[in-house]
Amino acid sequence: MKSGAGGERRVVYRTKGTSLELYTSGDTSVMLMRGRFDPKFGERALANLPSGNVALELHDVSPMDVSFVVFLRNLRRRVEAAGGRFWLLRPPGRLLDIIQMSSSDREFEAVQEVPDAGSTSADGRVRREGGPSAEMTHRIMSVRRDALRSAELE
């Protein structure tokens, strides 16, 4: 299922150069973030967190640094505490690098499409359990390659 498929988009937060929109894709709510990330942006996202499964899609979000990873961690924890699943939808390669460098790669799942809630595995797992593996490295590289190909086609 492609981004934007499914339900109607609802703008939750918008300032000059920053926006947060929500839409549904099957049984998953997709949060679409664009623009400059700041604490107020993060607070608004957490305050408007939909119930159930959440996929976070990022477009030109900056800065992507360790504070952004902390925000992602809090977002994931809230979703999972409420019984949902959390995915990063087509994350940019630089975010995957930061997640890996901050030793947070066990905490996130990266996917190319919104998965069905009942699926047991995502197509681009960023290690969640166990130690480092060749499979994890291969999958991260596959997600990065796919993202680069998509960027080249646009």
Side-chain angles (χ1 to χ4, degrees):
M1 200 171 300
K2 295 285 184 198
S3 164
E8 188 175 310
R9 286 183 189 242
R10 177 172 64 97
V11 176
V12 174
Y13 179 69
R14 180 168 281 157
T15 62
K16 185 177 181 182
T18 302
S19 71
L20 175 64
E21 299 175 22
L22 293 174
Y23 65 91
T24 57
S25 181
D27 59 358
T28 299
S29 295
V30 178
M31 297 179 76
L32 174 61
M33 292 182 127
R34 297 176 195 266
R36 182 153 181 76
F37 176 80
D38 60 39
K40 189 179 283 188
F41 191 32
E43 289 170 19
R44 186 64 61 112
L46 291 172
N48 287 282
L49 191 61
S51 60
N53 301 310
V54 175
L56 179 64
E57 186 173 4
L58 307 167
H59 286 274
D60 301 321
V61 174
S62 66
M64 282 193 186
D65 55 16
V66 175
S67 65
F68 188 72
V69 173
V70 169
F71 159 73
L72 292 177
R73 237 185 239 142
N74 290 335
L75 188 61
R76 180 192 54 79
R77 286 179 183 152
R78 281 209 186 163
V79 169
E80 291 177 353
R85 292 186 63 192
F86 178 77
W87 298 280
L88 295 172
L89 182 58
R90 291 183 291 281
R94 69 181 186 269
L95 177 59
L96 294 175
D97 290 339
I98 293 165
I99 287 171
Q100 203 166 28
M101 287 186 299
S102 67
S103 300
S104 300
D105 46 343
R106 295 178 186 201
E107 299 182 44
F108 300 101
E109 291 180 79
V111 295
Q112 290 300 307
E113 293 184 1
V114 177
D116 292 329
S119 68
T120 56
S121 66
D123 66 1
R125 195 167 188 70
V126 178
R127 188 179 73 193
R128 186 177 287 260
E129 64 254 345
S133 69
E135 178 185 1
M136 185 256 325
T137 303
H138 170 74
R139 289 181 181 226
I140 288 173
M141 295 308 291
S142 296
V143 169
R144 286 185 187 151
R145 264 193 310 276
D146 291 347
L148 287 172
R149 284 185 196 131
S150 294
E152 289 172 359
L153 295 174
E154 292 177 357

